[in-house]
Amino acid sequence: MHSTWGIPRNSEDAVLQFPVANGELTRRNLYISHNETMSTVPNSYQEDTSQCLPSHFLGGANGVNQKTKPSDEVDELLVQGLNRLTFDELQKEQDDLHGVADDAAERAPRMNRLLAGLDDHLKEMKAGTAYECAESINKEYVSERDFRLRFLRANRYDPQASADRMIRFFATKLSLFGIHKLVKDISLSDLDEDDVECLLNGSTFLSDYKDRAGRCIIFHLPGLRRYKTLENELRARYYLYMHVCKTLDSPNRGIVIIAYHVGHFKGTLGGAGTKQISGLVLAMPWRLAGIHVCFEHSPSAMLAKAAAVVAPAKTRAKMRVHRGTDMELQYTLGSYGIPRRSVQQLFLNQQDFIFDHQLSWYHDCMEKETASQQFRINNLIAPNENDVLYLGRKVTGAGNERLLSLAAQHADWYSNGNSKERRTLIDLIIEEVRKKNGRFLKPDSTGTSLEELPVEEIRVKIAQLFRNLKKRLRVSSQKVS
């Protein structure tokens, strides 16, 4: 199970709350004491940072400690937490944060071993989860190689962490879109008008620019958040996030998220939905290379740092909280390989530019989806009346009834024949169906089209039909006697 940690709900939007994995940080095992000792968090903890940080950090009953600035002690705790990482782990996270590309070679033998390890962990963890439900509906969808590789890349090829993320991904998808869309790629047609409004308002903005390592940059602009329900916003964000995941030029490099609380982009919703948005971000099959939270004022920045103290160490290592004017923040982000133009772009005619940009991106996505759908329609196998359809147990149709009739006519021949004679009979029946332009069809792996069965699979199906007929005849004769 995962616990969620963060500052109070009524705090500013930019503070991220992080689901924390078992073994890294738990409610009863939290390194938060400023004297480097272990402190215990009471069971009555109710997502209030004042209960998991010394009171003088946020200004408790006794006021702020006069000897040491709260921001200094928060910074000290951040550093202490990072000391739990090994040198190599910290170096990797720092390289990520500063835009140093690391495209690891994916050799087939190693990838096969990692995928097998991922499968083993999923078998141990899936009981009663949305993943298990998805697997029961369409195993090919959840087992697709490229799909699983995204989760391995997102977790630096750690099979256990990847399995955990897959479990959370399907749980999130189920809660947002329901069971009927659990094993399909979400398209614009799956979003309603209110979802699309959230997509166009620009609160989640995919920049035209990339960082020094060629990674996508996603801006979270809290001041532009508008939604009818939180679910509308979450579905819109899911669509945009998955669009990014599918279009990454170099999946190993990951993405950068910048929460920008400056000027008219300051949050106005009091942190509503922060927990859900953070959970969605951390469930996506992408690697977070850097998280930057930007403020104009020190108090807000200190609160964000305080929340970061209780984040998992690896997440904390790639998170930075900045404060300053718009110009100062441009130069600060530039030191992490983020081009100044990516921030300057936000202020081109301000909200008008952002809306026009989002609308153009939306229409581009719509055109691509329409073209893809038209391609599938053009290549779709439309069944005719003589086709034999394998769509489930209770399938009726002229083609299926004719096959059943042919099998019934030759049931005795099949029962009395040897293996060679039975194979010959089955091939004759296949040929008879095809003389009438009939085909043997089944749903493809996506479940949206039909495809022809291989001849060996057809033979197996017809042999099973003869065995079923034999059982029926035996049961009928027993009832008569």
Side-chain angles (χ1 to χ4, degrees):
M1 294 294 293
H2 289 76
S3 299
T4 303
W5 301 86
I7 70 169
R9 294 289 181 88
N10 60 357
S11 300
E12 298 201 33
D13 287 6
V15 179
L16 301 178
Q17 297 179 342
F18 299 92
V20 180
N22 286 337
E24 225 169 8
L25 192 64
T26 65
R27 245 175 225 202
R28 301 196 59 82
N29 183 21
L30 180 62
Y31 290 86
I32 58 175
S33 176
H34 63 284
N35 62 3
E36 298 187 50
T37 61
M38 185 79 73
S39 65
T40 302
V41 179
N43 291 327
S44 59
Y45 179 89
Q46 296 295 327
E47 295 190 358
D48 185 342
T49 307
S50 63
Q51 292 187 22
C52 65
L53 293 172
S55 61
H56 54 275
F57 280 6
L58 303 178
N62 297 324
V64 177
N65 188 312
Q66 299 299 318
K67 297 181 180 180
T68 307
K69 293 181 179 180
S71 59
D72 293 338
E73 293 212 20
V74 173
D75 287 337
E76 182 181 348
L77 286 186
L78 286 172
V79 172
Q80 289 175 12
L82 296 181
N83 288 337
R84 297 208 299 271
L85 296 177
T86 66
F87 175 80
D88 288 340
E89 288 175 334
L90 185 59
Q91 187 64 48
K92 287 179 180 179
E93 302 304 335
Q94 292 298 301
D95 286 346
D96 260 357
L97 186 64
H98 289 85
V100 179
D102 179 21
D103 290 329
E106 293 186 349
R107 304 186 185 282
R110 177 172 178 253
M111 290 300 103
N112 291 337
R113 289 195 300 271
L114 291 171
L115 287 168
L118 172 60
D119 191 57
D120 290 340
H121 286 294
L122 285 170
K123 288 177 181 177
E124 295 176 1
M125 302 165 63
K126 69 181 182 181
T129 65
Y131 171 86
E132 185 179 43
C133 179
E135 186 181 50
S136 67
I137 298 171
N138 188 340
K139 188 171 183 178
E140 291 184 10
Y141 182 88
V142 302
S143 302
E144 201 267 327
R145 182 182 178 89
D146 288 340
F147 179 64
R148 291 196 166 195
L149 281 175
R150 288 179 194 164
F151 289 91
L152 281 171
R153 294 173 186 136
N155 293 279
R156 292 192 181 278
Y157 306 102
D158 181 336
Q160 184 173 2
S162 302
D164 177 73
R165 188 179 295 227
M166 281 193 77
I167 297 291
R168 288 186 282 117
F169 172 83
F170 279 102
T172 301
K173 189 176 181 181
L174 178 64
S175 67
L176 293 178
F177 297 98
I179 194 170
H180 298 297
K181 298 177 182 177
L182 189 59
V183 290
K184 75 177 292 287
D185 292 340
I186 301 301
S187 63
L188 288 172
S189 61
D190 297 310
L191 305 181
D192 62 28
E193 291 183 3
D194 296 320
D195 299 338
V196 173
E197 285 294 324
C198 293
L199 201 60
L200 296 179
N201 66 26
S203 60
T204 306
F205 180 84
L206 178 60
S207 177
D208 292 331
Y209 299 96
K210 297 187 178 181
D211 77 346
R212 179 187 298 146
R215 294 182 289 226
C216 289
I217 301 172
I218 298 176
F219 282 91
H220 286 182
L221 306 174
L224 301 185
R225 291 180 66 195
R226 303 288 186 276
Y227 54 77
K228 186 173 182 180
T229 68
L230 181 59
E231 286 70 24
N232 295 134
E233 183 182 46
L234 292 172
R235 284 193 290 267
R237 285 177 181 262
Y238 176 95
Y239 177 83
L240 187 146
Y241 293 164
M242 284 305 297
H243 170 83
V244 172
C245 291
K246 294 174 185 177
T247 57
L248 289 176
D249 295 330
S250 301
N252 282 330
R253 299 183 186 181
I255 59 102
V256 176
I257 289 180
I258 303 174
Y260 205 71
H261 292 246
V262 180
H264 67 283
F265 297 128
K266 288 181 183 177
T268 59
L269 297 179
T274 303
K275 173 183 175 181
Q276 293 86 342
I277 293 171
S278 299
L280 177 61
V281 168
L282 295 174
M284 286 290 108
W286 60 18
R287 185 153 66 83
L288 279 173
I291 305 170
H292 300 270
V293 187
C294 302
F295 295 97
E296 285 181 304
H297 306 295
S298 297
S300 300
M302 192 194 76
L303 286 174
K305 286 185 178 181
V309 168
V310 293
K314 289 184 179 180
T315 303
R316 195 182 320 163
K318 62 186 69 177
M319 180 180 179
R320 290 294 182 272
V321 179
H322 314 292
R323 65 178 180 85
T325 64
D326 174 62
M327 184 61 67
E328 290 171 338
L329 290 169
Q330 288 180 36
Y331 282 102
T332 299
L333 293 172
S335 67
Y336 293 91
I338 298 168
R340 290 177 56 199
R341 289 174 296 176
S342 65
V343 181
Q344 293 169 350
Q345 182 185 37
L346 301 177
F347 294 90
L348 296 174
N349 297 320
Q350 297 185 358
Q351 194 166 347
D352 288 340
F353 163 76
I354 292 176
F355 176 79
D356 291 341
H357 179 279
Q358 292 294 95
L359 189 61
S360 175
W361 173 80
Y362 172 81
H363 286 307
D364 183 55
C365 291
M366 183 178 290
E367 288 179 6
K368 290 179 179 177
E369 288 186 8
T370 301
S372 177
Q373 184 179 18
Q374 188 61 48
F375 176 81
R376 289 196 299 269
I377 291 173
N378 293 339
N379 292 274
L380 184 68
I381 296 180
N384 62 56
E385 63 178 5
N386 294 314
D387 286 335
V388 178
L389 305 177
Y390 292 100
L391 306 178
R393 292 191 174 188
K394 296 181 179 180
V395 177
T396 59
N400 293 70
E401 291 175 359
R402 185 163 180 266
L403 175 63
L404 181 60
S405 177
L406 287 170
Q409 293 173 26
H410 300 89
D412 291 339
W413 183 5
Y414 185 87
S415 297
N416 299 324
N418 56 36
S419 59
K420 185 176 180 179
E421 291 171 339
R422 289 179 177 181
R423 183 184 179 91
T424 300
L425 174 59
I426 289 174
D427 287 342
L428 287 173
I429 290 176
I430 293 173
E431 184 179 350
E432 189 67 23
V433 171
R434 288 177 172 170
K435 281 180 182 179
K436 300 287 186 180
N437 294 321
R439 298 163 297 179
F440 297 83
L441 304 177
K442 68 174 182 178
D444 64 8
S445 59
T446 66
T448 60
S449 182
L450 298 174
E451 63 183 8
E452 291 195 54
L453 277 71
V455 66
E456 286 302 323
E457 191 171 347
I458 296 172
R459 290 189 179 114
V460 171
K461 295 281 189 184
I462 296 177
Q464 182 62 46
L465 177 59
F466 276 118
R467 288 193 291 271
N468 291 341
L469 284 172
K470 186 176 180 179
K471 289 179 182 178
R472 291 178 193 173
L473 290 172
R474 186 185 305 121
V475 171
S476 297
S477 61
Q478 288 175 353
K479 287 183 178 180
V480 172
S481 61

